C-alpha cells in the first residue's frame, strides 16, 4: 500500500442501458385494516429467556445429575452471572477446575452441592474445596421436535 | 474540580476471555497468537512472568510449550468481540458518557459521582468481573492522559486492588516520576528522541515544560499532551466513533499462494466481508482498491506489491457489483510466477447509502438488490459466516489463515457451546 506510484485509476463503465422505473412501489388504495390501531409487538422469546443480556451465557448440558430438577442431557442451560447464588439456586459451579451443574445448598454454616438424581451423592464443600460459582442457572431449554 | 475521567482497561483481555471458558488454564502461562498464528499478542500474568514478550514470533518461542508448559491459543476474535460488547454494555450502566476506545478499553466521564467515586469505581470493577469473568483495572484522573497513567499504576501496583486515582499534585508527580517518556500515552520511540534532544528527558520534564513552547517547537498535539499532564483537560470524550473514511478487509495467507484462482477466492471473500461491514454502517462506496503482495521478509523471492483502484460511476453496497469490480482489478495486476503472501480490499469514498445519486445511465442499487443483500446478511448473521457466499469466493479455501489452536466460539455459535 505504501507504494502509491502503482495506483492507476481504471474507470468501470456499465455498457448496459438501465431503465428507470417511474413508480417503484405500487400504491395501495382502499380501506386500512381495522386492526391497525391494535397492533402489538409479536412475542419475543429473548424476553422470556434473557433477563440480563451482558451477563447471560448458554451452555450445553451433558450430565444426568440434575434430571429430577428437569435438566436433561442435551438441554441448553441459560446461565446468568449477575445473580448472586443463594440457598436452593441451581448453579453452574467450578469444582476442582471442572464445570458442574448442581443445586447450591447453604444451611447451618454448611455448604454443599446437591444433585437432583438419587444415583448421585451430595458434595460437601470445605475450605479446602476448589470451588467457585460460575453463574446461576435461570432456564433450561429442551428441543422436543 | 474538572470532570473526573476514568479509563477502564481489561487485564490481558484476550487471555482472560480464554480463561473464562477454560478455567483449567488458570494459573498457567497462556499466550494468544495474532492472526495466522504469527506472534504473541496477549499473555496471562504467568506467561509475562516467564519473560515472554509482546510480539514474540511464534516460530521462535514455540519451544516453550514443551520446556515451560506454555499453553497457546489462536486469536478467536468472534469470542473476544462478543465479550468486549458485554463489558462495554455493563460500563454504560456506570456513566452517562462512555467512549469505547478499543476492544478492551473505555473512557468514562464520572461527573456527578465525585462524592462516592472510589465506591463507584470498585462497584464497576466488581460488576464487570462478576458478569463477564473479565478482570479490569480502573484509573481515574482529571484528564485522559493522566487517567491512562493512573490505570497503568492500578495494574502495576498489586496493593491497589485494580484502582488508582491521580487527583493531587503530589500523586501525579509521584506517578510521573516512576515512568519513562515512552510509557506515556501517544509517545513512541522517535518522538521521545526528539523530546530528549530539546532537554525533555522524563515525563516530569514534559509536565514542567511550557505548553506554548511545545506547540511552537512540536505541534498542537504536544501542547495538549503537556497541558493534560498538568491536569488541564484538552482531549474530550468522543461519544461515537467518527464515521469511517475507509473500510478494509485483508489477510495474510496461511501458506504461499501462486494460483490466480486462489487469489480470486481470497479477493472475493475480502470483498464480501468489507461490503458486509459497510452495509452494517448503512454506507455505499464508489471507489474500491485491491492489493496483493509477496513476502517482503523473503528477499530471495521475486517481489511484487501491486494495487489497483476502480472507480464506480454510482456508489453501491451490492456485493455482486463490488465483486465483479474487484476481480477485474485483480486481473489487471496479477502476475504469474510470484508467491503471494497477502491480499486485501479497501472501500473508499463512503457515503450514506440513502443519499446515493444516480446518473443518467446508472441507477443506485435497486430495492431488489438491497433486499437480496439484506437477506444474505441476515442469513450469515443467523447461521454463521459464509452460510451464503458468492461462488467466486470458493469453498475449499486452502489459502485460509492458520489458526491451529483456536478455541470454540462459546458465545456466538449453538454448535460450539461449553458442555457441562
Amino acid at each position: 500500500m505504501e507504494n502509491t506510484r502503482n495506483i492507476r485509476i481504471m474507470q468501470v463503465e456499465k455498457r448496459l442501458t438501465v431503465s428507470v422505473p417511474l413508480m417503484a412501489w405500487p400504491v395501495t388504495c382502499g380501506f386500512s385494516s381495522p386492526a391497525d390501531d391494535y397492533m402489538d409487538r409479536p412475542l419475543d422469546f429473548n424476553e422470556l429467556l434473557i433477563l440480563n443480556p451482558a451477563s447471560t451465557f448458554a451452555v450445553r448440558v451433558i450430565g444426568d445429575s440434575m434430571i429430577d430438577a428437569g435438566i436433561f442431557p442435551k438441554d441448553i442451560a441459560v446461565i446468568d452471572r449477575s445473580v448472586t447464588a443463594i440457598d436452593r439456586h441451581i448453579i453452574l459451579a467450578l469444582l476442582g477446575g471442572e464445570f458442574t451443574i448442581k443445586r447450591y445448598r447453604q444451611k447451618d454454616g454448611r455448604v454443599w452441592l446437591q444433585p437432583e438424581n438419587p444415583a448421585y451423592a451430595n458434595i460437601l464443600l470445605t475450605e479446602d474445596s476448589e470451588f467457585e460459582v460460575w453463574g446461576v442457572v435461570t432456564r433450561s431449554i429442551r428441543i422436543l421436535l | 474540580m474538572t470532570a473526573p475521567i476514568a479509563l477502564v482497561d481489561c487485564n490481558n483481555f484476550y487471555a482472560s476471555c480464554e480463561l473464562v471458558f477454560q478455567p483449567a488454564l488458570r494459573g498457567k502461562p497462556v499466550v494468544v497468537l495474532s492472526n495466522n498464528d504469527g506472534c504473541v499478542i496477549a499473555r496471562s500474568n504467568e506467561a509475562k512472568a516467564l519473560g515472554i514478550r509482546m510480539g514474540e514470533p511464534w516460530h521462535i518461542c514455540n519451544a516453550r510449550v514443551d520446556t515451560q508448559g506454555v499453553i497457546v491459543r489462536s486469536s478467536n476474535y468472534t469470542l473476544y468481540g462478543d465479550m468486549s460488547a458485554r463489558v462495554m454494555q455493563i460500563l454504560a450502566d456506570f456513566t452517562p458518557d462512555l467512549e469505547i476506545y478499543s476492544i478492551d478499553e473505555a473512557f468514562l466521564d464520572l461527573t456527578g459521582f465525585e462524592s462516592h467515586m472510589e465506591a463507584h469505581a470498585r462497584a464497576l470493577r466488581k460488576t464487570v468481573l462478576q458478569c463477564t469473568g473479565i478482570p479490569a483495572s480502573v484509573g481515574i484522573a482529571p484528564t485522559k492522559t493522566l487517567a491512562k497513567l493512573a490505570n497503568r499504576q492500578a495494574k502495576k501496583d498489586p496493593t491497589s486492588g485494580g484502582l488508582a486515582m491521580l487527583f493531587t499534585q503530589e500523586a501525579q508527580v509521584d506517578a510521573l516520576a516512576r515512568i519513562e517518556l515512552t510509557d506515556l500515552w501517544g509517545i513512541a520511540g522517535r518522538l521521545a528522541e526528539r523530546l530528549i534532544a530539546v532537554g525533555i528527558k522524563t515525563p516530569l520534564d514534559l509536565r514542567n515544560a511550557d505548553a506554548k513552547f511545545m506547540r511552537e517547537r512540536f505541534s498542537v498535539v504536544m501542547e495538549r499532551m503537556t497541558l493534560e499532564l498538568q491536569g488541564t483537560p484538552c482531549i474530550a470524550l468522543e461519544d461515537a466513533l467518527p464515521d469511517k473514511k475507509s473500510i478494509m478487509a485483508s489477510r495474510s495467507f496461511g501458506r504461499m499462494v501462486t494460483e490466480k484462482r486462489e487469489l480470486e477466492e481470497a479477493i472475493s471473500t475480502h470483498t464480501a466481508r468489507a461490503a458486509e461491514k459497510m452495509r452494517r454502517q448503512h454506507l455505499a462506496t464508489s471507489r474500491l482498491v485491491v492489493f496483493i503482495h509477496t513476502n517482503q521478509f523473503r528477499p530471495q523471492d521475486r517481489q511484487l506489491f501491486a494495487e489497483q483502484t476502480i472507480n464506480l460511476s454510482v456508489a453501491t453496497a451490492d456485493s455482486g457489483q463490488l465483486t465483479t469490480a474487484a476481480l477485474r482489478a485483480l486481473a489487471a495486476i496479477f502476475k504469474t510466477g510470484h508467491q503471494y503472501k497477502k491480499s486485501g480490499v479497501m472501500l473508499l469514498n463512503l457515503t450514506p447509502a440513502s443519499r446515493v445519486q444516480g446518473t443518467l445511465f446508472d441507477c443506485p442499487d435497486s430495492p431488489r438488490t438491497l433486499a437480496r443483500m439484506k437477506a444474505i446478511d441476515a442469513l450469515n448473521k443467523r447461521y454463521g459466516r459464509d452460510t451464503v457466499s458468492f461462488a467466486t469466493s470458493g469453498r475449499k479455501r486452502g489459502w485460509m489463515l492458520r489458526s491451529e489452536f483456536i478455541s470454540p466460539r462459546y458465545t456466538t455459535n449453538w454448535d460450539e457451546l461449553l458442555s457441562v
Side-chain angles (χ1 to χ4, degrees):
Chain A
M1 299 310 301
E2 294 79 8
N3 194 345
T4 48
R5 280 171 303 168
N6 276 345
I7 298 183
R8 280 174 290 159
I9 308 289
M10 191 167 92
Q11 188 71 33
V12 172
E13 287 175 0
K14 285 189 281 169
R15 299 293 161 96
L16 294 170
T17 56
V18 183
S19 62
V20 182
L22 279 176
M23 192 83 81
W25 300 104
V27 179
T28 46
C29 302
F31 300 102
S32 60
S33 161
D36 272 356
D37 290 344
Y38 300 91
M39 284 299 276
D40 211 341
R41 246 172 354 112
L43 292 174
D44 179 356
F45 283 88
N46 286 314
E47 278 174 12
L48 200 65
L49 301 173
I50 302 172
L51 306 174
N52 302 294
S55 58
T56 299
F57 296 84
V59 300
R60 178 79 59 182
V61 177
I62 43 175
D64 61 355
S65 67
M66 295 299 287
I67 52 176
D68 288 352
I71 301 175
F72 291 87
K74 292 189 193 163
D75 280 8
I76 289 171
V78 179
I79 317 288
D80 189 344
R81 288 184 57 112
S82 71
V83 181
T84 301
I86 55 167
D87 185 41
R88 297 201 161 271
H89 272 166
I90 295 173
I91 61 167
L92 175 60
L94 268 177
L95 195 60
E98 301 284 329
F99 284 108
T100 183
I101 294 182
K102 295 284 180 290
R103 195 178 291 282
Y104 180 73
R105 298 304 314 273
Q106 194 182 26
K107 209 170 150 189
D108 304 330
R110 293 193 315 151
V111 179
W112 70 100
L113 296 180
Q114 180 183 307
E116 295 284 349
N117 177 340
Y120 292 81
N122 287 344
I123 303 166
L124 189 67
L125 298 174
T126 64
E127 293 210 335
D128 300 330
S129 307
E130 211 186 303
F131 165 79
E132 179 182 316
V133 180
W134 197 90
V136 172
V137 181
T138 56
R139 305 282 189 272
S140 191
I141 304 169
R142 192 166 321 122
I143 311 291
L144 297 176
L145 190 67
Chain B
M1 183 165 143
T2 51
I5 293 173
L7 174 66
V8 178
D9 187 357
C10 300
N11 303 351
N12 316 330
F13 182 59
Y14 298 169
S16 296
C17 289
E18 299 286 345
L19 291 179
V20 170
F21 300 94
Q22 300 158 81
L25 303 187
R26 286 187 199 171
K28 296 185 176 153
V30 177
V31 298
V32 176
L33 302 180
S34 60
N35 267 332
N36 216 18
D37 294 346
C39 59
V40 173
I41 51 167
R43 306 157 295 163
S44 69
N45 288 340
E46 294 79 6
K48 287 178 185 171
L50 285 178
I52 301 176
R53 287 171 297 109
M54 276 301 255
E56 210 167 289
W58 178 238
H59 65 271
I60 288 172
C61 65
N62 62 11
R64 291 179 187 271
V65 171
D66 293 328
T67 59
Q68 298 175 310
V70 169
I71 310 253
V72 56
R73 292 287 177 263
S74 302
S75 39
N76 184 345
Y77 285 111
T78 314
L79 177 66
Y80 310 152
D82 178 72
M83 294 301 282
S84 169
R86 291 167 183 266
V87 171
M88 299 305 168
Q89 202 178 330
I90 292 161
L91 293 183
D93 286 341
F94 284 85
T95 175
D97 199 355
L98 175 77
E99 177 193 341
I100 298 172
Y101 183 66
S102 71
I103 191 166
D104 58 357
E105 293 169 283
F107 287 104
L108 288 72
D109 184 340
L110 294 186
T111 305
F113 298 100
E114 287 88 346
S115 60
H116 55 290
M117 199 141 59
E118 179 167 352
H120 190 67
R122 295 214 185 273
L124 175 157
R125 270 194 85 237
K126 184 166 170 269
T127 309
V128 170
L129 182 63
Q130 173 168 355
C131 290
T132 66
I134 303 287
S137 302
V138 186
I140 315 179
T143 71
K144 274 182 159 182
T145 308
L146 288 172
K148 197 91 181 169
L149 177 65
N151 190 287
R152 182 191 159 89
Q153 186 162 316
K155 275 212 175 68
K156 299 265 159 167
D157 177 5
T159 65
S160 70
L163 169 67
M165 298 194 273
L166 293 179
F167 283 102
T168 64
Q169 298 282 331
E170 298 78 49
Q172 292 167 3
V173 168
D174 182 58
L176 284 169
R178 274 187 270 160
I179 60 165
E180 307 280 324
L181 273 178
T182 47
D183 293 331
L184 285 173
W185 188 32
I187 296 196
R190 206 176 293 173
L191 184 53
E193 281 168 29
R194 286 179 57 208
L195 287 167
I196 291 167
V198 297
I200 297 173
K201 299 195 178 71
T202 66
L204 270 183
D205 291 343
L206 184 56
R207 177 187 165 103
N208 295 330
D210 177 49
K212 271 207 191 100
F213 168 78
M214 296 310 288
R215 178 179 194 150
E216 283 155 19
R217 190 71 180 69
F218 291 88
S219 63
V220 69
V221 178
M222 274 318 295
E223 179 193 27
R224 281 194 204 136
M225 184 177 299
T226 309
L227 287 169
E228 284 245 322
L229 285 178
Q230 293 165 358
T232 309
C234 299
I235 309 172
L237 239 59
E238 287 171 28
D239 308 332
L241 289 174
D243 273 348
K244 287 211 180 131
K245 301 231 162 46
S246 66
I247 288 173
M248 177 144 107
S250 74
R251 285 292 160 83
S252 294
F253 297 121
R255 56 167 164 79
M256 291 300 169
V257 161
T258 52
E259 299 287 319
K260 187 178 178 197
R261 174 75 224 143
E262 289 190 308
L263 274 174
E264 284 174 348
E265 288 181 9
I267 291 294
S268 299
T269 305
H270 297 326
T271 308
R273 200 133 296 159
E276 190 186 329
K277 275 195 221 171
M278 181 176 69
R279 286 193 295 271
R280 217 177 298 147
Q281 301 175 52
H282 308 288
L283 299 170
T285 177
S286 61
R287 181 176 294 168
L288 169 150
V289 180
V290 168
F291 66 90
I292 50 176
H293 60 75
T294 51
N295 189 351
Q296 57 174 324
F297 297 110
R298 288 177 55 87
Q300 66 272 34
D301 292 351
R302 284 171 67 197
Q303 297 290 318
L304 180 72
F305 295 80
E307 61 179 62
Q308 175 71 56
T309 303
I310 292 214
N311 288 314
L312 304 158
S313 53
V314 175
T316 179
D318 174 9
S319 293
Q321 261 197 66
L322 291 170
T323 303
T324 308
L327 292 179
R328 205 176 295 191
L330 175 67
I333 50 175
F334 176 80
K335 287 201 179 78
T336 46
H338 287 88
Q339 301 210 315
Y340 294 98
K341 174 67 185 158
K342 188 171 186 173
S343 70
V345 172
M346 246 191 320
L347 305 179
L348 304 169
N349 284 9
L350 301 172
T351 45
S354 55
R355 270 188 263 148
V356 173
Q357 297 276 322
T359 63
L360 186 55
F361 300 108
D362 296 308
C363 301
D365 295 331
S366 68
R368 276 179 73 109
T369 304
L370 293 177
R372 186 164 59 233
M373 290 302 124
K374 215 172 159 183
I376 290 176
D377 291 344
L379 283 168
N380 286 336
K381 190 173 175 205
R382 180 150 177 206
Y383 297 104
R385 259 187 185 185
D386 295 326
T387 301
V388 181
S389 64
F390 283 80
T392 47
S393 55
R395 272 290 156 197
K396 280 212 319 239
R397 302 190 185 172
W399 45 269
M400 273 294 267
L401 280 182
R402 266 195 307 262
S403 51
E404 229 178 293
F405 317 102
I406 197 158
S407 50
R409 293 168 293 176
Y410 298 106
T411 58
T412 55
N413 196 301
W414 291 117
D415 296 326
E416 298 181 22
L417 297 182
L418 197 66
S419 291
V420 300

